[in-house]
Amino acid sequence: MGGTCTVQFRRDALGSAGSPIPPTTGVTNGAEVSVSGKLIQIDSDWVVLSVHNQELWVSRANVLLLEFPKP
């Protein structure tokens, strides 16, 4: 924990399931489809990031994938 992580949201959860959107795109039609921050915690239900001095809890049910930069 503690490293940088990008959470890509499931496209159907964002209302754009019918549009072909690459899995690692950050913005589509002006809307963000991912969020990046410091990984605080991950468990079977939640991914918790620190983003701009706030904790952001993302339901794992809405996660398409997690991206971690190479060290």
Side-chain angles (χ1 to χ4, degrees), residues 8-66:
Q8 291 283 345
F9 296 104
R10 285 187 18 227
R11 305 318 190 217
D12 60 331
L14 299 174
S16 59
S19 304
I21 302 170
T24 57
T25 297
V27 177
T28 297
N29 295 328
E32 293 185 25
V33 295
S34 66
V35 65
S36 296
K38 180 180 172 184
L39 182 62
I40 296 175
Q41 173 184 329
I42 189 168
D43 63 26
S44 60
D45 297 316
W46 301 99
V47 176
V48 184
L49 299 177
S50 176
V51 180
H52 305 296
N53 295 319
Q54 298 181 57
E55 278 191 9
L56 181 64
W57 290 63
V58 179
S59 170
R60 288 205 35 195
N62 293 317
V63 173
L64 172 66
L65 61 88
L66 302 173

